[in-house]
Amino acid sequence: MKDADIGVGWIDETGSIYIQDRYAFANGRPMVDNTTIDWFALQGREVSGWTAIQFKRLLDTCDIMDVPIKSGTNHLIFAYGLTDPSPSGPTGEISYHKNRRGSRALSLQSYADSPSEDTFAGLDYFDFRLNNYVVPSVETTYHCKIYKAPSNYSMKRHAIGHKIIVDSANEDLVHHILMYECHPTAQFDDNNLPDDLCDAIHRQTALCVHNVAILWDVGSDYMVALPEEAGYPVGGDFPIKYYMVNIHYNNPNRLSDRTDSSGLRLYIGKELRQYDLGVLALGTKPSPAALAIPPKVERFIVDSYCSATATMNFPKEGITVISAIPHIHMPGMF
């Protein structure tokens, strides 16, 4: 809770709504922020023990005791008590929440204006989705499934956008969704495509783990439209015939009653565009030999370098980068 910007809200017996602006300088009771008041209650209600409060706050208040709300992923904490602050009013003092607490990583502000689904109305599309997959009751699960490219495109077509589909009931579990291209030499039994924990089928999918075509993680946009001059090639003579979708489930409470049908949808344009879209992945492998962070260090910088062979196939005029998606887990910063 240290360095957390906190809003404390409640509704008293008269139906009056209160919200306090607080800040935690340490892992203890957060102090009231008396520099400026930046949290404002709009409306709320309390029914059968459930309390809901709608409030507003500027994205960046320029207050040193407030944390800016940034684009993409924001790490949120939450907690609740069983009694209202005492005395009930703007100066009420809060009690310790004990183990009634939790955290979530949520996208509170998009990096850009995402397109609406209407943008792709009337277009053909295909889905790569799970079908009521039973999420294991363990903290971390990586599930992988191979999908065959649609066979109904005899000529190359361009996907011009995609939609990430996360079951609304499982938004707290789905951490990322990746779509890999399988190497053109990869072969599978189309009647029994690999579908299991990633570690369990890693030998079968060894040719499907190097080139990420679509990446979504918590904080990314669900809808993506590609630039008008480029499309992602599908079908026809495009050599990629199989794809692997990797879904990471983060289940810290080890829930055992969840089924999931998350995945992704690709929208197919009516005409080919000028350029084929490709993917360039840069980074460091998360292995002890490649990435070893010493214990008890406050800051550790990782530098990655590419050899000349990594860019040997680039055209002389260079390449155009249309988007970038950094991905690292909680201890890291870009």
Side-chain angles (χ1 to χ4, degrees):
M1 192 169 71
K2 184 177 182 292
D3 297 326
D5 179 16
I6 298 172
V8 179
W10 72 96
I11 301 173
D12 68 12
E13 294 179 351
T14 68
S16 298
I17 306 171
Y18 298 96
I19 192 164
Q20 294 177 339
D21 185 353
R22 289 178 176 256
Y23 186 84
F25 283 101
N27 292 326
R29 179 179 293 169
M31 67 175 294
V32 174
D33 179 359
N34 289 318
T35 55
T36 60
I37 305 301
D38 299 300
W39 295 68
F40 301 96
L42 300 178
Q43 59 181 337
R45 61 177 179 169
E46 192 170 71
V47 179
S48 301
W50 291 88
T51 301
I53 297 176
Q54 184 183 49
F55 62 90
K56 67 177 181 178
R57 205 213 78 171
L58 292 177
L59 298 176
D60 190 349
T61 65
C62 299
D63 182 347
I64 61 171
M65 294 177 69
D66 289 333
V67 176
I69 298 173
K70 59 185 180 180
S71 298
T73 305
N74 291 264
H75 296 288
L76 308 183
I77 60 173
F78 61 88
Y80 63 93
L82 300 180
T83 59
D84 289 343
S86 178
S88 186
T91 60
E93 195 52 83
I94 59 177
S95 57
Y96 184 48
H97 51 70
K98 297 184 179 179
N99 63 348
R100 296 179 292 271
R101 60 188 178 186
S103 63
R104 288 282 298 276
L106 295 176
S107 175
L108 300 179
Q109 181 185 192
S110 175
Y111 287 104
D113 293 331
S114 298
S116 70
E117 201 161 0
D118 294 339
T119 304
F120 307 108
L123 295 181
D124 192 14
Y125 64 84
F126 62 89
D127 293 349
F128 291 156
R129 297 183 65 179
L130 296 178
N131 183 19
N132 290 322
Y133 171 65
V134 179
V135 180
S137 56
V138 296
E139 183 170 353
T140 300
T141 297
Y142 290 89
H143 184 273
C144 289
K145 183 174 181 178
I146 299 295
Y147 296 86
K148 187 176 182 179
S151 58
N152 55 322
Y153 302 129
S154 58
M155 302 292 290
K156 184 178 77 172
R157 303 285 296 276
H158 272 156
I160 63 171
H162 66 260
K163 174 185 179 181
I164 299 299
I165 304 170
V166 177
D167 277 1
S168 58
N170 296 322
E171 291 179 351
D172 58 330
L173 298 185
V174 179
H175 177 270
H176 76 227
I177 297 177
L178 307 177
M179 187 184 84
Y180 290 89
E181 296 175 342
C182 295
H183 193 272
T185 60
Q187 295 183 350
F188 298 100
D189 177 359
D190 292 348
N191 296 315
N192 187 28
L193 294 173
D195 178 5
D196 206 336
L197 298 178
C198 298
D199 285 345
I201 57 175
H202 74 279
R203 293 184 183 277
Q204 297 170 264
T205 60
L207 294 176
C208 304
V209 296
H210 298 294
N211 203 20
V212 179
I214 295 175
L215 184 155
W216 175 91
D217 60 6
V218 175
S220 301
D221 293 330
Y222 289 91
M223 298 290 299
V224 173
L226 300 180
E228 293 183 355
E229 63 270 28
Y232 179 73
V234 174
D237 59 357
F238 186 57
I240 305 302
K241 302 303 179 185
Y242 294 95
Y243 300 87
M244 183 175 76
V245 175
N246 171 311
I247 300 183
H248 172 198
Y249 296 97
N250 184 36
N251 186 7
N253 295 321
R254 294 174 170 79
L255 303 174
S256 60
D257 57 349
R258 296 290 189 90
T259 59
D260 186 60
S261 298
S262 296
L264 51 90
R265 172 173 297 170
L266 279 78
Y267 294 96
I268 306 301
K270 296 180 179 180
E271 298 178 354
L272 283 180
R273 294 182 167 183
Q274 183 178 1
Y275 300 107
D276 285 349
L277 188 70
V279 178
L280 176 65
L282 304 172
T284 300
K285 290 184 177 181
S287 69
L291 183 59
I293 301 176
K296 299 182 180 180
V297 295
E298 293 186 1
R299 185 176 178 86
F300 183 75
I301 298 175
V302 178
D303 291 317
S304 297
Y305 299 91
C306 294
S307 66
T309 57
T311 57
M312 62 184 298
N313 293 323
F314 282 11
K316 291 182 179 180
E317 62 272 20
I319 62 174
T320 299
V321 178
I322 64 168
S323 66
I325 305 177
H327 180 75
I328 197 166
H329 285 229
M330 290 182 67
M333 295 178 61
F334 283 97

